[in-house]
Amino acid sequence: MTIPGILSAAAPLRWHRPAVILLPLIAAAALAVTGAFGTYVSMTLPLRLLHFVGVAIVICAIVFALCEVVQRFWFGGALPFWAMLAIGAITAPVGGWIVLGALGLSAPRALAHVTYSELTTQVLLSNLAIASLGWILLRQSRPQSTACDAQQLDPTTDQALRAKLPVGIRSAVILALSAEDHYVRVRTDRGEALILMNLAAAIGAMGEDAGVRVHRSHWVSRELAEETAARGSRHGVRLNDNTVLPVSRSGRKLLSEALAG
């Protein structure tokens, strides 16, 4: 019983979606009532509820960590449906061992009625069902905000750049661009991603008035540039995640001009 669906909103992960967060608890209660995994022969209903809720919490903690890593380093935003299902499948064997161990502690007699492969299969089915329902709920909660964000996009300039971003941050506010070899690191208010594009082309896609090139390898949005210029650029441009981008001598001049303009 895991919650990969919970983690598909957008970086940072959002835990304030009660309908989705309740999914694993509802599944745990249903399994307890039906006496799944052979527990109907060895546990009372209160003990089954305690057992399944505890197992759900342990497995969910593992899935949360895995989803965060995958979301942060591979997608930079919302987890796609196939990734959520993949995480559910990958964690099923671990979930099977957790259920097996929990049964051994709380109801050893139940082990005579189930095998590890059966437990893993049942955990897998639970994972896929919860991931699918969670993804549907979260997708239904996103269209309105996504539509509002889309209205703020300039359809004539930055679409070539945004089309290369992960779906989860495609409509996010772009804070900075940084050159890394043949790639550009795009930093947004929802996360970051590397795209195959040179910095000059990325800056051109953003538009002349969208920001300031503060260094040969870095560009920042106009709002961030004005904020930096207002407090002084001696220590560079500080981003939301406390990353500090260097500012060249010509960059300081451009920052001053941005504040004056």
Side-chain angles (χ1 to χ4, degrees), residues 154-203:
D154 185 341
T156 63
T157 58
D158 61 3
Q159 290 303 303
L161 184 151
R162 291 183 181 273
K164 296 177 178 289
L165 295 175
V167 174
I169 62 173
R170 195 166 291 175
S171 60
V173 176
I174 295 177
L175 302 174
L177 306 172
S178 299
E180 297 187 14
D181 294 326
H182 300 294
Y183 295 83
V184 170
R185 183 171 297 279
V186 182
R187 308 176 195 269
T188 78
D189 61 344
R190 297 187 205 163
E192 60 184 52
L194 275 176
I195 62 173
L196 182 58
M197 197 176 200
N198 63 62
L199 183 61
I203 293 174

Side-chain angles (χ1 to χ4, degrees), residues 1 5 25 49 64 69 71 77 102-103 108-109 119 123 141 153 163 177 182 184 216-217 222 231 244-245 253:
M1 294 160 294
L25 299 181
L49 286 170
F64 178 88
V69 170
Q71 187 174 9
L103 287 175
R109 288 186 301 167
L119 295 177
V123 171
S141 70
L153 303 181
L177 306 172
H182 300 294
V184 170
R216 66 178 182 178
S217 300
R222 179 162 295 276
R231 66 169 183 262
V244 178
L245 301 181
K253 180 179 179 181

Side-chain angles (χ1 to χ4, degrees), residues 35-243:
F37 304 154
T39 55
Y40 64 94
V41 298
S42 55
M43 291 184 185
T44 61
L45 179 58
L47 184 57
R48 292 201 302 267
L49 286 170
L50 181 62
H51 166 79
F52 282 107
V53 170
V55 167
I57 291 174
V58 173
I59 298 179
C60 287
I62 296 173
V63 173
F64 178 88
L66 181 58
C67 285
E68 184 173 8
V69 170
V70 172
Q71 187 174 9
R72 182 184 295 269
F73 295 102
W74 273 273
F75 295 100
L79 287 176
F81 183 57
W82 67 265
M84 289 160 35
L85 294 182
I87 290 173
I90 291 170
T91 54
V94 176
W97 280 117
I98 291 173
V99 175
L100 188 66
L103 287 175
L105 291 174
S106 58
R109 288 186 301 167
L111 297 179
H113 303 276
V114 293
T115 63
Y116 170 69
S117 61
E118 291 173 340
L119 295 177
T120 300
T121 300
Q122 292 185 55
V123 171
L124 173 62
L125 295 176
S126 298
N127 286 357
L128 299 181
I130 294 173
S132 300
L133 290 173
W135 186 83
I136 291 171
L137 289 174
L138 290 172
R139 185 179 183 183
Q140 290 175 345
S141 70
R142 288 197 296 266
Q144 183 175 358
S145 60
T146 302
C148 293
D149 291 338
Q151 292 176 359
Q152 301 175 0
L153 303 181
D154 185 341
T156 63
T157 58
D158 61 3
Q159 290 303 303
L161 184 151
R162 291 183 181 273
K164 296 177 178 289
L165 295 175
V167 174
I169 62 173
R170 195 166 291 175
S171 60
V173 176
I174 295 177
L175 302 174
L177 306 172
S178 299
E180 297 187 14
D181 294 326
H182 300 294
Y183 295 83
V184 170
R185 183 171 297 279
V186 182
R187 308 176 195 269
T188 78
D189 61 344
R190 297 187 205 163
E192 60 184 52
L194 275 176
I195 62 173
L196 182 58
M197 197 176 200
N198 63 62
L199 183 61
I203 293 174
M206 291 301 300
E208 182 178 354
D209 298 327
V212 174
R213 188 166 185 171
V214 297
H215 186 274
R216 66 178 182 178
S217 300
H218 304 286
W219 172 99
V220 298
S221 67
R222 179 162 295 276
E223 291 77 8
L224 195 57
E226 292 174 352
E227 179 183 337
T228 302
R231 66 169 183 262
S233 59
R234 181 181 303 176
H235 302 295
V237 179
R238 184 172 295 277
L239 304 179
N240 289 346
D241 60 358
N242 290 325
T243 298

